[in-house]
Amino acid sequence: MIAIITRMLCGLIRSSQAAPFWGWPMPTERIAMRKVREILRLTFDGGLPSREVARRVGVGSTGVRVMLQRFRASALTWPLPDVLTDTAPERELYGVAATRSGQRERAEPDWSAVNRELKRKHVTLQVLWDEYIEDHPAGYSYSRYCFLYRTWEGRLPFMRSSWMAS
């Protein structure tokens, strides 16, 4: 593991190559269905090798090979029926996309109230977090609370003023 980190820091391998060793799931960028249909057409009808298909379609050769593996593992057949919309093959090839609920699992503090309280004398994030934890025992840790507040605070508009020495 240390050898992998050392090689990564020296630039000998990319972090994406080291990811399987750490067990990180690497996100896959989806190929547009228009390009998928073109990959399948050039491969099955044209009989072209994957590198030539990749060059013509404008995607990486690994992406073409992975797409062909997914296609062969799926229940789809070539040629795709004309009545088939893009959503059905996409669902078959990529699976259902994960959706985010948009809400956090823990009780979210009112950041504007936290910001207002911080302007008062002798009030710190530590004091406000202590009050938050009393109300919500399963709430955020102090470090996460501070990180979320700083992130929220970073989205606030601010006014720049330039000062010139006289």
Side-chain angles (χ1 to χ4, degrees):
M1 179 100 149
I2 293 175
I4 293 170
I5 295 171
T6 306
R7 288 173 51 198
M8 198 171 77
L9 292 174
C10 293
L12 299 175
I13 62 172
R14 293 186 305 267
S15 61
S16 60
Q17 293 172 325
F21 296 103
W22 285 312
W24 296 336
M26 292 300 295
T28 305
E29 188 173 321
R30 293 185 174 196
I31 300 173
M33 283 308 296
R34 180 183 55 78
K35 289 186 177 186
V36 170
R37 287 180 189 268
E38 186 68 12
I39 289 169
L40 297 174
R41 186 185 68 76
L42 291 172
T43 301
F44 293 121
D45 291 344
L48 296 174
S50 61
R51 285 188 182 183
E52 181 61 23
V53 171
R55 188 184 66 74
R56 288 187 184 190
V57 176
V59 297
S61 59
T62 305
V64 171
R65 285 193 299 274
V66 169
M67 181 51 59
L68 292 173
Q69 288 173 354
R70 287 177 183 221
F71 182 78
R72 289 183 183 115
S74 71
L76 298 171
T77 59
W78 182 257
L80 294 174
D82 292 333
V83 295
L84 199 61
T85 62
D86 283 349
T87 55
E90 187 173 15
R91 193 178 321 113
E92 187 70 33
L93 293 171
Y94 290 112
V96 178
T99 58
R100 295 181 73 182
S101 63
Q103 294 182 352
R104 300 180 195 246
E105 296 175 7
R106 301 186 179 168
E108 190 79 13
D110 180 11
W111 297 118
S112 57
V114 170
N115 196 35
R116 258 192 322 274
E117 289 294 318
L118 280 173
K119 293 178 182 175
R120 294 176 50 209
K121 236 180 187 184
H122 306 294
V123 176
T124 63
L125 274 175
Q126 178 71 50
V127 170
L128 295 173
W129 178 77
D130 287 336
E131 293 173 1
Y132 164 75
I133 268 310
E134 284 176 12
D135 295 339
H136 309 285
Y140 293 115
S141 65
Y142 176 68
S143 60
R144 181 69 178 160
Y145 182 87
C146 291
F147 174 78
L148 291 173
Y149 172 72
R150 297 292 180 217
T151 304
W152 176 86
E153 184 185 36
R155 290 188 226 134
L156 292 177
F158 59 93
M159 188 171 69
R160 295 178 190 258
S161 59
S162 55
W163 177 76
M164 301 280 291
S166 337

